[in-house]
Amino acid sequence: MNIKTKLTLAIGILVAMIVLLVVLSVVNLQILTATEPDSPAAGPGLQRALLWISIVGAACICIGIGMWLRLPASINNPIKEIINAIQEIANHNYDKRLDLGQNQEFAEVSKNFNRMAKRLEDYHASTLSDMMAAKKYMETIINSINEPIIGLNDDMEILFINDEALNVLNLKRDEVIRHSAQEISLRNDLLRRLIRGLIDVPDNEPGKEQEKKEPLKIYADNKESFFQVKYMGITQPGKDGVTLEKKGYVIMLKNITEFKELDSAKTTFISTISHELKTPISAIMMSLQLLEDKRIGTLNGEQEDLANSIKENSERLLGITGELLNMTQVESGKLQLKPKITKPIELIEYAIKANRVQAEKFNIQIEVEYPEDKVGKLFIDSEKIAWVLTNLLSNAIRYSPENGHVVIGARQTDDGYIEMFVQDFGKGIDPRYHKSIFDHYFRVPGTKVQGSGLGLSISRDFVEAHSGTLTVQSELGKGSTFIMRLKA
């Protein structure tokens, strides 16, 4: 029986009882009205009428109360059951089922609800299975990576970590997964260094790797190891589907111990060879000085040309060995600075004096731009910065056309820095090579001028050792300007 039939039947019964009560009352009233008040039948008739009216009225009241108690409950109870079942589904209890009796409407609701719950249960089981399979697949991939890798969410909780990272950090998986990396780092020095490095990397660009320049030294696998640390921000599309929202980070460590050992061996080898080469080169230079001495005889033209050639090549070789020694000092960390107060003009004059012969050879005019009253003093290792300025001026002369000119100078900036610069007006440097020219042994393709490719890299190392910067501004056909920026 459906709800509509129930309501119709209940209202019909109530109406019928009320009509019966009214009809009974009217009939008895007519009978009593037709009977004489003094008649002996008046009293029993009145009592009989009251009895029937009372019986029918009581029956109406009982039926009404019964319907009032049962009818709302027959509708309200199933609705409560439906609400409770919906709450169970909302709490992911997908095995909840309804049985609302024989009411047609509620039976249909039960049938549809149970079908929905069954589908949700199947979907959840399949989705959970897929998620677990995907999770295991990802864990397998992460653990198959031979380099340590750590994943964190935006709240700095560790989401995943592979066995290599656990081995390096000396931690257990159940100690770190879904735990705060910052709390764990309080008792783990290595993780604290990694987290500090993550915080120190400014403005992690989403989805882009950022690499720490200095390798991380770690004692792992019973030996001293070196790791290159990389940080990468993880993002996903936001609610609008376009804007990327930061969701966490990935820390990757690449073991570069083998390369570090090879690099150390290379540095030692170059340093040894450079020292060994200086002795015979010095001997050659001394022999040339003796040949040039008029007391042992005069050289003919061909001999003088040969001697000059030997001298030029010896000086070039001596310069290369000097650059190699400087490079090995930087790479081995043995570079020692001896700073003192120096005027920039002193460094400029030293560079000009060192390059005067070369400038006269190519007829290059050297111009100086130096507002002496506006440039302060520097607290630097004047020998190394003078070497840098000399190297930059030498390059400018070599890459300038004959009968040209170069500009060397210094200026004070508003932010408390002093910039020393060397400008030439040669063919310039292709923008593609502006960063590469400061790498070891790099030479711009097509360059005919001889060189080792070490001068600019050593110059940059010397300047950075003073917490300064060395940059280039250049356009093809317009020349180049190298700018050394140091704190005043």
Side-chain angles (χ1 to χ4, degrees), residues 47-304:
Q47 291 178 359
R48 189 169 53 251
L50 291 173
L51 178 62
W52 281 105
I53 291 172
S54 299
I55 291 171
V56 174
C60 289
I61 292 171
C62 290
I63 292 171
I65 292 174
M67 295 177 67
W68 176 67
L69 292 174
R70 290 183 60 84
L71 185 61
S74 66
I75 299 173
N76 189 45
N77 290 340
I79 291 175
K80 285 184 178 179
E81 288 189 37
I82 293 173
I83 293 173
N84 292 334
I86 291 173
Q87 289 177 343
E88 290 290 329
I89 294 293
N91 293 329
H92 307 291
N93 183 16
Y94 300 116
D95 58 352
K96 178 67 178 178
R97 298 294 183 268
L98 281 178
D99 184 9
L100 299 177
Q102 301 301 318
N103 290 334
Q104 184 178 349
E105 288 88 349
F106 289 123
E108 189 69 22
V109 170
S110 298
K111 179 181 177 182
N112 290 329
F113 180 89
N114 293 337
R115 185 171 63 177
M116 176 196 71
K118 182 67 170 61
R119 289 186 176 180
L120 285 173
E121 185 178 17
D122 294 342
Y123 175 77
H124 180 260
S126 63
T127 304
L128 184 61
S129 176
D130 291 342
M131 289 175 64
M132 291 300 295
K135 182 175 180 292
K136 290 182 179 178
Y137 184 68
M138 288 298 297
E139 288 178 349
T140 303
I141 292 175
I142 292 170
N143 282 323
S144 67
I145 299 174
N146 294 326
E147 307 292 351
I149 181 169
I150 306 170
L152 306 97
N153 62 16
D154 206 28
D155 295 325
M156 302 300 285
E157 291 180 347
I158 297 178
L159 299 179
F160 59 84
I161 183 170
N162 65 352
D163 294 336
E164 286 290 332
L166 290 172
N167 181 43
V168 170
L169 293 170
N170 195 23
L171 293 171
K172 296 181 179 179
R173 188 174 297 277
D174 55 0
E175 293 177 346
V176 297
I177 296 298
R178 284 293 175 183
H179 287 74
S180 172
Q182 292 173 321
E183 291 181 3
I184 299 172
S185 67
L186 295 176
R187 59 181 187 274
N188 190 290
D189 292 338
L190 178 55
L191 184 59
R192 182 162 61 250
R193 291 167 66 186
L194 294 174
I195 297 302
R196 186 186 300 121
L198 179 64
I199 296 172
D200 291 342
V201 174
D203 299 326
N204 267 332
E205 187 176 339
K208 188 173 182 179
E209 290 185 1
Q210 300 202 26
E211 184 176 299
K212 297 280 284 185
K213 286 186 178 181
E214 291 297 324
L216 189 66
K217 187 187 295 185
I218 300 173
Y219 190 79
D221 299 328
N222 297 321
K223 67 174 184 178
E224 191 177 64
S225 301
F226 294 87
F227 289 85
Q228 190 70 55
V229 185
K230 293 182 180 180
Y231 299 98
M232 185 170 67
I234 303 301
T235 61
Q236 70 179 30
K239 295 181 180 179
D240 57 2
V242 179
T243 306
L244 293 177
E245 295 180 354
K246 187 174 66 175
K247 292 298 180 181
Y249 311 91
V250 172
I251 304 175
M252 296 172 286
L253 286 79
K254 182 175 178 60
N255 195 331
I256 58 171
T257 305
E258 181 181 355
F259 303 104
K260 194 73 176 176
E261 290 173 349
L262 291 173
D263 191 57
S264 178
K266 179 210 70 176
T267 301
T268 303
F269 173 76
I270 292 175
S271 177
T272 303
I273 292 297
S274 300
H275 277 290
E276 292 297 326
L277 284 174
K278 290 194 77 172
T279 301
I281 294 172
S282 299
I284 293 171
M285 298 293 289
M286 288 181 63
S287 300
L288 284 172
Q289 288 180 355
L290 290 173
L291 287 175
E292 291 175 349
D293 193 340
K294 303 296 183 181
R295 291 175 295 177
I296 64 171
T298 304
L299 300 178
N300 59 36
E302 187 176 349
Q303 291 172 333
E304 284 186 1

Side-chain angles (χ1 to χ4, degrees), residues 188-436:
N188 190 290
D189 292 338
L190 178 55
L191 184 59
R192 182 162 61 250
R193 291 167 66 186
L194 294 174
I195 297 302
R196 186 186 300 121
L198 179 64
I199 296 172
D200 291 342
V201 174
D203 299 326
N204 267 332
E205 187 176 339
K208 188 173 182 179
E209 290 185 1
Q210 300 202 26
E211 184 176 299
K212 297 280 284 185
K213 286 186 178 181
E214 291 297 324
L216 189 66
K217 187 187 295 185
I218 300 173
Y219 190 79
D221 299 328
N222 297 321
K223 67 174 184 178
E224 191 177 64
S225 301
F226 294 87
F227 289 85
Q228 190 70 55
V229 185
K230 293 182 180 180
Y231 299 98
M232 185 170 67
I234 303 301
T235 61
Q236 70 179 30
K239 295 181 180 179
D240 57 2
V242 179
T243 306
L244 293 177
E245 295 180 354
K246 187 174 66 175
K247 292 298 180 181
Y249 311 91
V250 172
I251 304 175
M252 296 172 286
L253 286 79
K254 182 175 178 60
N255 195 331
I256 58 171
T257 305
E258 181 181 355
F259 303 104
K260 194 73 176 176
E261 290 173 349
L262 291 173
D263 191 57
S264 178
K266 179 210 70 176
T267 301
T268 303
F269 173 76
I270 292 175
S271 177
T272 303
I273 292 297
S274 300
H275 277 290
E276 292 297 326
L277 284 174
K278 290 194 77 172
T279 301
I281 294 172
S282 299
I284 293 171
M285 298 293 289
M286 288 181 63
S287 300
L288 284 172
Q289 288 180 355
L290 290 173
L291 287 175
E292 291 175 349
D293 193 340
K294 303 296 183 181
R295 291 175 295 177
I296 64 171
T298 304
L299 300 178
N300 59 36
E302 187 176 349
Q303 291 172 333
E304 284 186 1
D305 291 340
L306 184 59
N308 289 333
S309 177
I310 295 173
K311 183 178 180 181
E312 288 179 2
N313 285 284
S314 298
E315 289 176 347
R316 179 167 170 265
L317 193 56
L318 194 61
I320 291 174
T321 55
E323 289 179 348
L324 289 172
L325 284 172
N326 286 330
M327 183 191 71
T328 55
Q329 283 185 354
V330 174
E331 290 184 345
S332 61
K334 295 180 180 179
L335 181 65
Q336 295 181 348
L337 300 180
K338 298 177 181 178
K340 63 180 182 179
I341 297 175
T342 308
K343 291 182 179 181
I345 189 62
E346 296 174 357
L347 304 175
I348 293 172
E349 289 174 348
Y350 178 89
I352 293 173
K353 183 179 179 180
N355 287 280
R356 179 172 288 116
V357 174
Q358 185 182 11
E360 291 175 353
K361 179 179 178 181
F362 296 101
N363 196 25
I364 302 295
Q365 184 72 29
I366 301 175
E367 299 178 5
V368 178
E369 292 184 2
Y370 187 79
E372 190 165 354
D373 55 335
K374 296 181 180 179
V375 180
K377 297 180 181 180
L378 294 167
F379 185 65
I380 55 173
D381 187 326
S382 58
E383 181 181 340
K384 290 181 172 53
I385 297 302
W387 187 96
V388 173
L389 208 57
T390 301
N391 181 70
L392 294 178
L393 184 57
S394 174
N395 288 343
I397 293 171
R398 285 191 295 167
Y399 287 96
S400 293
E402 288 192 25
N403 304 316
H405 72 285
V406 297
V407 179
I408 184 171
R411 53 181 172 252
Q412 183 98 29
T413 64
D414 295 334
D415 54 355
Y417 283 83
I418 290 177
E419 292 181 348
M420 288 184 283
F421 59 91
V422 177
Q423 181 181 11
D424 67 68
F425 301 90
K427 64 178 182 179
I429 304 171
D430 193 309
R432 293 177 297 173
Y433 308 122
H434 282 186
K435 292 184 178 179
S436 302

